[in-house]
Amino acid sequence: MGLVPAQEHSGERNPQKRISKEGDEMLRRLLVSSAHYILGPFGPDSDLRRYGEKIASRGGKNAKKRAVVAVARKLSVLLHRLWVTGEAYEPLHNARSTGTLGEEVA
């Protein structure tokens, strides 16, 4: 889907570049706009939101953009997993398993 950073192999260096943008452009747009909603002010509390907020809280110049792409990629993996297994979506699946359901994300 093009949400994985491209690699540039040059001698001993191996820097990460921007996302590769390979694959379906419309699907990538839908995933990124969904990630914007999840991280926005009206997004419900979920594991995806907590994950994105954790990445965005690291700070830096492009922290919010990096968090949006990371949530979009995680959303695509989650949707594929749910589609293959036929499981029901649980927004706070990881919070229930670790016992952090009532805690706020710092």
Side-chain angles (χ1 to χ4, degrees), residues 25 30 64 76 79 95 98:
E25 179 183 351
L30 288 171
K64 180 74 174 183
S76 69
L79 290 174
T98 60

Side-chain angles (χ1 to χ4, degrees), residues 3-5 19 31-32 35 38-39 48 51-56 58 62-78:
L3 293 172
V4 179
I19 59 174
L31 287 168
V32 169
I38 289 170
L39 293 174
L48 286 171
Y51 175 73
E53 288 174 346
K54 182 178 168 187
I55 292 174
R58 293 181 196 165
N62 295 319
K64 180 74 174 183
K65 292 177 188 178
R66 194 176 303 258
V68 166
V69 173
V71 169
R73 183 178 185 287
K74 198 165 219 39
L75 178 63
S76 69
V77 171
L78 173 69

